[in-house]
Amino acid sequence: MSLNYAKRMDNIRASEIRELLKLTQQPGIISFAGGLPAPESFPVEEFIKIGKEVLENTGTQALQYGPTEGYGPLREAIAKRMEKVKVDVKAENILITSGSQQGLDFAAKIFINPGDIIVCESPTYLGAINAFKAYEPKFIEVSTDKDGMNMEELEEVLKNNDKVKFIYVIPDFQNPSGKTWTVERRMKLIELANKYNVAIIEDNPYGELRFEGEILPAVKHFDTEGRVAFLGTFSKILCPGLRLGWVAADTEFLNKFILVKQGADLQSSTISQMETAKFLELYDIDNHIQKIIDLYRVRRDLMMKTIEEEFPEGVTYTYPEGGLFTWVVLPEYMNARELALKALEENVAYVPGGSFFPNGGNENTFRLNYSNMDEEKIVEGIKRLGKVIREAVK
Amino acid sequence: MSLNYAKRMDNIRASEIRELLKLTQQPGIISFAGGLPAPESFPVEEFIKIGKEVLENTGTQALQYGPTEGYGPLREAIAKRMEKVKVDVKAENILITSGSQQGLDFAAKIFINPGDIIVCESPTYLGAINAFKAYEPKFIEVSTDKDGMNMEELEEVLKNNDKVKFIYVIPDFQNPSGKTWTVERRMKLIELANKYNVAIIEDNPYGELRFEGEILPAVKHFDTEGRVAFLGTFSKILCPGLRLGWVAADTEFLNKFILVKQGADLQSSTISQMETAKFLELYDIDNHIQKIIDLYRVRRDLMMKTIEEEFPEGVTYTYPEGGLFTWVVLPEYMNARELALKALEENVAYVPGGSFFPNGGNENTFRLNYSNMDEEKIVEGIKRLGKVIREAVK
């Protein structure tokens, strides 16, 4: 017996990260593989208090169905907080999603006919590639330098391909590369999107986790024609277990997301939304985020310092100004998938970089996460990794 | 400026129910329109206790990412509870979804290429039609009688259409018709699905809400070849605000759901899953369900009695043995959409039945919900509705 699945199912494979994460749950493993936030930053005590308060005062509402668009006071609070990235939106421009991953799935659902083109950074977020692939797009990767996506290359792509539906970008502390776009590149991106009439999906899960300098205005800030959908999430600034994210977009554009949300799961959890709104009302989330930043900055510093000391010449890497990841490029003759097995023998895990390139190649790269391991493990893990890499030097 | 959306977006419209529900939130409206469970049945006190316990003992786990498949102890508990509908499955055959609505979306995502055929009951669940439409199927409706889907008609359809991918059925207290399939029809459905190699999506949100007689074995109980995916949900037996449902299916089939879940939203809420597992551990959910049944039975009785007294001759309706809905068929010359406006003038709301037929027609039908209004409002609302219908008699 074999069921007759849709063509799209040929494209969908298990995420390498999720599979790897299962391996790395063995005790004793030092894992730089996941993208997990530090659990010691989670506001557990606050949520005990909030849970009680929400249920005692508004229990039947919290456990009942709610509107597809989301819980009003949460949409209000998010709209207000969008000031952080200089985006001026109203509550009605916010749709609550089940994590920003759901926003990625919806973006492709809204735009992609089979064979349509998604333009993305090279490399780009693996979870986005997987979500998009279900809609059978082609990917065109555009190279990036230290200032963001290469705009000359992007214009060439847009000029020569009329089936481009949207450009997918992570302008702040990109996953996996750790890079951040300059303001100039953001403005140029809007200029090109306007010129060639394509949409922009701006994914910004880490923008507020900046270790030094000022938070940059979102690409959406420069949006003059309502063609940017901004995806935000509470996963990295509060906790991921609630599965709450959002889409911010102009009315007509957001309405497409709302329609798709209705069919996909009706609405996100009412109680999670009410609790998160209550957190934003009772506590200072900026203060909370500052604690996360202070924690991650130390880890970033330590990881980068140890990499500098331990990794051999010929290996390059990003110095991230925020977020959760750094990105390592090995000499071209090395294969990070093969090295990953050697690293696992040393009880250290990372994600090989090849998976972050939708069209393949680049097997000499890998991603390191520094948010989820304590200081001692970071030093020890990077030392072991340095040894594995040094042994692979020809 | 107009963005270039995917072809599928032409098919997706706002759910009439969701739009109507906004109207019916005006105070004073007697609404038989939604499918909302009675909020007075929600275990608010229990969830206050549980929330505290889960967070105090396992707070960082509850707020962290978890596996795509779902929280182990919840999968265990659901697998065990599937005995209620005589389905013998293990925890690894359960995927936790964000409500059973998400299972519907995934079913179409897994099977449907544009132009493929979904066979369904006529009428069928509006939310399923909306979820499926995003994947551009054709629908073939099969008529039902008091024993369920007409099997001769189904076989004709399967014999003459090779693009049928799955048969979508709600065998217990169907939404919207309130009908329940006999065991014989369930067995025949499996026989035909085996013969013509199609899958079955069995949607069972209300099966345990039976007011009299025994719970029937699920279609999945008779599944000999692993071609049935059973969709369950906590929305009607606990509360919908947590957004937790599940898919039960054989390994290969379930793996497709898991892959799609990964791209769609990574996983359902960790904390909601842990709380629900704790509820099932600490409390007797069967006892809780019995209270819901006792509440709804009184309302069903009262609605049916009042309908009998108030609706004029020539109007027929289902006497549901469980679930949340009854279904009214007016004389063919009446139009339930037009009458809905007159009913709204009397501050009474229902859902016109036409929307439950994917290929249209049947505008002389409507759906009534009896779970969400108290006894007094049921009597008053049905009286007003009877008046509106009587005035439309030619």
Side-chain angles (χ1 to χ4, degrees):
Chain A
M1 200 278 305
S2 180
L3 293 167
N4 184 8
Y5 300 111
K7 189 162 161 285
R8 72 175 61 81
M9 296 307 289
D10 299 341
N11 295 337
I12 307 181
R13 300 228 170 66
S15 151
E16 193 164 2
I17 296 187
R18 303 290 290 191
E19 297 306 306
L20 200 69
L21 281 179
K22 285 182 199 165
L23 274 183
T24 60
Q25 273 164 4
Q26 301 160 25
I29 285 263
I30 299 176
S31 176
F32 305 129
L36 302 186
E40 58 269 37
S41 74
F42 296 159
V44 175
E45 288 308 315
E46 291 86 337
F47 267 86
I48 292 173
K49 194 181 149 195
I50 286 167
K52 186 163 176 285
E53 191 164 325
V54 165
L55 282 168
E56 275 178 355
N57 298 325
T58 47
T60 54
Q61 185 188 356
L63 299 178
Q64 186 60 286
Y65 286 112
T68 297
E69 294 81 350
Y71 177 58
L74 182 61
R75 297 169 78 201
E76 285 283 352
I78 289 170
K80 198 163 174 325
R81 288 205 83 249
M82 290 288 293
E83 288 170 8
K84 294 273 161 193
V85 288
K86 304 266 192 302
V87 174
D88 181 23
V89 281
K90 297 205 171 66
E92 68 241 38
N93 296 111
I94 304 292
L95 165 70
I96 306 296
T97 56
S98 301
S100 57
Q101 182 71 27
Q102 190 174 52
L104 296 171
D105 177 66
F106 289 175
K109 197 168 187 175
I110 288 170
F111 282 111
I112 302 300
N113 297 316
D116 282 348
I117 294 167
I118 296 171
V119 173
C120 63
E121 293 157 280
S122 180
T124 192
Y125 171 50
L126 173 54
I129 298 173
N130 284 341
F132 297 162
K133 274 190 173 172
Y135 302 92
E136 303 171 77
K138 287 182 181 152
F139 292 93
I140 296 183
E141 302 173 37
V142 175
S143 69
T144 60
D145 60 28
K146 67 173 184 31
D147 294 336
M149 192 181 260
N150 183 326
M151 288 294 134
E152 288 71 37
E153 197 180 320
L154 174 63
E155 179 148 24
E156 277 304 301
V157 167
L158 296 177
K159 197 186 289 175
N160 296 313
N161 294 280
D162 59 2
K163 291 181 108 177
V164 174
K165 286 298 189 72
F166 64 80
I167 308 168
Y168 170 64
V169 295
I170 311 161
D172 296 85
F173 323 125
Q174 202 235 17
N175 180 359
S177 74
K179 288 176 184 170
T180 298
W181 294 33
T182 60
V183 166
E184 290 68 28
R185 293 283 171 97
R186 292 167 199 241
M187 294 169 72
K188 184 71 184 175
L189 176 67
I190 291 289
E191 188 192 314
L192 292 177
N194 287 349
K195 182 170 171 188
Y196 293 96
N197 190 30
V198 297
I200 295 169
I201 305 299
E202 177 179 23
D203 190 7
N204 189 341
Y206 323 107
E208 295 192 52
L209 301 181
R210 176 171 272 284
F211 308 146
E212 46 249 339
E214 292 290 307
I215 294 178
L216 296 179
V219 169
K220 175 86 187 135
H221 167 77
F222 302 103
D223 181 18
T224 47
E225 301 185 351
R227 58 176 72 250
V228 180
F230 176 102
L231 310 185
T233 178
F234 287 104
S235 291
K236 305 303 187 296
I237 58 173
L238 197 59
C239 55
L242 300 167
R243 310 302 306 125
L244 289 181
W246 66 90
V247 181
D250 285 20
T251 308
E252 188 210 312
F253 196 179
L254 192 77
N255 276 343
K256 301 294 177 187
F257 280 92
I258 295 170
L259 282 177
V260 161
K261 173 83 178 164
Q262 211 167 72
D265 66 359
L266 300 181
Q267 56 155 123
S268 292
S269 162
T270 321
I271 185 166
S272 292
Q273 292 186 67
M274 290 177 73
E275 288 181 356
T276 303
K278 185 60 77 176
F279 182 93
L280 296 173
E281 180 195 325
L282 294 184
Y283 301 96
D284 182 350
I285 191 172
D286 292 322
N287 189 30
H288 177 73
I289 293 170
Q290 190 56 50
K291 284 185 207 154
I292 301 175
I293 289 172
D294 293 341
L295 184 66
Y296 291 0
R297 190 197 292 109
V298 172
R299 293 179 180 185
R300 188 265 329 247
D301 288 346
L302 205 54
M303 182 174 274
M304 298 320 295
K305 178 169 166 289
T306 316
I307 284 177
E308 205 173 320
E309 290 164 2
E310 299 290 333
F311 284 13
E313 228 171 292
V315 177
T316 61
Y317 39 84
T318 309
Y319 187 91
E321 291 174 358
L324 278 65
F325 305 106
T326 185
W327 176 250
V328 180
V329 181
L330 299 168
E332 281 198 22
Y333 64 85
M334 288 192 193
N335 183 308
R337 279 183 216 273
E338 287 165 18
L339 284 189
L341 301 177
K342 292 207 163 62
L344 274 176
E345 284 169 20
E346 304 286 334
N347 278 330
V348 180
Y350 60 74
V351 183
S355 309
F356 296 92
F357 297 86
N359 300 323
N362 302 277
E363 297 294 351
N364 60 321
T365 58
F366 63 89
R367 189 191 76 176
L368 292 173
N369 166 270
Y370 48 76
S371 61
N372 193 242
M373 288 287 124
D374 67 31
E375 287 67 17
E376 204 180 322
K377 282 187 179 140
I378 286 176
V379 173
E380 178 59 28
I382 294 296
K383 279 187 177 174
R384 290 188 204 168
L385 211 48
K387 180 170 159 278
V388 167
I389 298 170
R390 285 196 308 273
E391 285 172 3
V393 171
K394 276 183 184 164
Chain B
M1 197 279 304
S2 180
L3 293 166
N4 184 9
Y5 300 111
K7 191 162 158 286
R8 71 175 61 82
M9 296 308 290
D10 299 340
N11 296 336
I12 307 181
R13 300 226 171 68
S15 150
E16 191 163 0
I17 296 187
R18 304 289 291 189
E19 296 307 305
L20 201 69
L21 281 178
K22 284 183 200 165
L23 274 183
T24 60
Q25 273 165 2
Q26 301 160 27
I29 284 263
I30 299 177
S31 176
F32 305 130
L36 302 186
E40 57 269 40
S41 74
F42 295 160
V44 174
E45 287 308 315
E46 291 86 336
F47 267 86
I48 291 173
K49 194 181 149 193
I50 285 167
K52 186 163 178 284
E53 190 164 326
V54 165
L55 282 168
E56 275 178 356
N57 299 323
T58 48
T60 53
Q61 185 188 356
L63 298 178
Q64 185 59 285
Y65 286 113
T68 297
E69 293 82 350
Y71 177 58
L74 183 61
R75 297 169 80 200
E76 285 283 352
I78 290 170
K80 198 163 173 325
R81 287 206 83 249
M82 290 289 292
E83 286 169 10
K84 294 273 163 195
V85 288
K86 304 266 193 302
V87 174
D88 181 24
V89 282
K90 297 205 171 65
E92 68 240 39
N93 295 111
I94 305 292
L95 165 70
I96 307 296
T97 56
S98 301
S100 57
Q101 182 72 27
Q102 190 174 52
L104 296 171
D105 177 66
F106 289 176
K109 197 168 188 175
I110 288 170
F111 281 111
I112 302 299
N113 298 316
D116 282 348
I117 294 167
I118 296 172
V119 173
C120 63
E121 293 157 281
S122 181
T124 191
Y125 171 50
L126 173 55
I129 298 173
N130 284 342
F132 296 162
K133 273 189 175 172
Y135 302 92
E136 303 172 77
K138 287 182 181 151
F139 291 92
I140 297 183
E141 303 173 35
V142 175
S143 69
T144 60
D145 59 28
K146 66 173 185 32
D147 293 335
M149 191 181 262
N150 183 326
M151 286 295 133
E152 288 71 36
E153 197 179 320
L154 174 64
E155 179 148 24
E156 277 305 301
V157 167
L158 296 177
K159 197 187 287 174
N160 295 315
N161 294 280
D162 59 1
K163 290 181 108 177
V164 174
K165 286 299 189 70
F166 64 80
I167 309 169
Y168 169 65
V169 294
I170 312 161
D172 296 85
F173 323 126
Q174 202 235 17
N175 180 358
S177 74
K179 288 176 183 170
T180 297
W181 294 33
T182 60
V183 166
E184 289 69 29
R185 293 282 171 97
R186 292 167 199 241
M187 293 170 72
K188 185 71 184 175
L189 176 67
I190 291 290
E191 188 192 313
L192 291 177
N194 286 348
K195 182 170 170 187
Y196 293 96
N197 190 30
V198 297
I200 295 170
I201 305 299
E202 178 178 23
D203 190 7
N204 190 341
Y206 324 106
E208 294 192 53
L209 301 180
R210 175 172 271 284
F211 307 145
E212 45 249 343
E214 292 290 307
I215 294 178
L216 295 178
V219 169
K220 176 84 187 138
H221 167 77
F222 302 103
D223 182 18
T224 48
E225 300 185 352
R227 58 176 74 249
V228 180
F230 177 102
L231 310 185
T233 177
F234 287 105
S235 291
K236 306 303 186 296
I237 58 172
L238 198 59
C239 56
L242 300 167
R243 311 302 306 124
L244 288 181
W246 66 91
V247 181
D250 285 20
T251 309
E252 188 211 311
F253 196 178
L254 193 77
N255 277 343
K256 301 293 176 187
F257 281 91
I258 295 169
L259 282 176
V260 160
K261 174 82 178 164
Q262 211 167 73
D265 65 0
L266 299 181
Q267 56 154 124
S268 292
S269 161
T270 321
I271 185 166
S272 292
Q273 291 186 69
M274 290 177 74
E275 287 182 356
T276 303
K278 186 59 79 178
F279 182 93
L280 295 173
E281 180 194 324
L282 294 183
Y283 300 96
D284 182 349
I285 191 172
D286 293 320
N287 188 32
H288 177 74
I289 292 170
Q290 190 56 51
K291 283 185 208 154
I292 300 175
I293 289 172
D294 293 342
L295 185 66
Y296 290 0
R297 190 196 292 110
V298 172
R299 293 178 180 186
R300 189 265 328 248
D301 288 347
L302 204 55
M303 180 173 275
M304 299 319 295
K305 179 170 165 288
T306 317
I307 283 177
E308 205 173 320
E309 291 163 4
E310 300 289 332
F311 283 14
E313 230 172 291
V315 177
T316 61
Y317 39 84
T318 309
Y319 187 90
E321 292 174 359
L324 277 67
F325 305 105
T326 185
W327 177 250
V328 180
V329 181
L330 300 168
E332 281 199 21
Y333 65 84
M334 289 191 193
N335 183 308
R337 278 182 216 273
E338 287 166 16
L339 284 189
L341 300 178
K342 292 206 163 60
L344 274 175
E345 283 169 21
E346 305 286 334
N347 277 329
V348 181
Y350 61 73
V351 183
S355 310
F356 296 92
F357 297 86
N359 300 322
N362 303 277
E363 296 294 351
N364 60 320
T365 58
F366 62 90
R367 189 191 74 175
L368 292 174
N369 166 271
Y370 47 76
S371 61
N372 193 243
M373 289 286 123
D374 67 31
E375 286 68 16
E376 203 180 322
K377 283 187 180 141
I378 287 176
V379 174
E380 178 58 28
I382 294 296
K383 279 186 177 172
R384 290 187 204 168
L385 210 48
K387 179 168 160 279
V388 167
I389 298 171
R390 285 197 307 274
E391 285 172 3
V393 171
K394 276 185 184 161

